[in-house]
Amino acid sequence: QVQLLESGGGLVQAGGSLRLSCAASGSGFSNNVMGWYRQIPGKQRTLVAIIRSSGNINYADSVKGRFTISRDNANNTVYLQMNSLKPEDTAVYYCMTGRDYGNYYGMNYWGKGTLVTVSS
């Protein structure tokens, strides 16, 4: 019922920056988690950053200090500011939202993904 539309991916040089956006439409959650995952071909999808309904944030160790996740609850939009990009950040980035149950959360809806390519 919820649709997620990502934007902002593209090609960037190492050391550069990109900002990903994900807008949710349809029936929204009152208590929802929103986050970003990424996937490299042949490997499993992994967490990049997630922001809970409480506002608490978790980052993958590999992106700490470089990426910043934020959300605009009024517009049901989540952002991922990516700075100091490295070639190993190259992946398809997926937006995710799910019900936040407090001690755990669901991953109920996914965007189609946006490709980020970092050249060296």
Side-chain angles (χ1 to χ4, degrees):
Q1 194 168 5
V2 174
Q3 293 184 339
L4 301 174
L5 181 61
E6 302 114 327
S7 62
L11 175 64
V12 65
Q13 295 182 56
S17 298
L18 285 174
R19 188 182 73 164
L20 306 183
S21 300
C22 173
S25 61
S27 298
F29 297 120
S30 57
N31 297 298
N32 67 304
V33 59
M34 299 194 78
W36 293 93
Y37 288 68
R38 65 188 181 187
Q39 188 168 23
I40 299 170
K43 303 189 71 174
Q44 66 181 9
R45 191 173 300 181
T46 59
L47 173 71
V48 177
I50 194 161
I51 182 165
R52 305 293 295 272
S53 61
S54 64
N56 288 345
I57 294 169
N58 291 101
Y59 294 100
D61 288 341
S62 59
V63 307
K64 285 181 178 178
R66 299 188 297 119
F67 291 9
T68 303
I69 189 171
S70 61
R71 64 189 294 172
D72 180 350
N73 290 330
N75 295 306
N76 268 355
T77 302
V78 64
Y79 304 94
L80 185 68
Q81 179 66 45
M82 304 185 294
N83 298 326
S84 301
L85 283 161
K86 304 174 181 179
E88 50 262 47
D89 294 318
T90 296
V92 177
Y93 285 70
Y94 296 90
C95 179
M96 183 279 296
T97 189
R99 178 70 66 183
D100 195 330
Y101 299 99
N103 56 350
Y104 70 100
Y105 60 87
M107 297 183 288
N108 298 322
Y109 300 96
W110 294 88
K112 295 186 182 299
T114 184
L115 177 63
V116 172
T117 303
V118 184
S119 62
S120 60

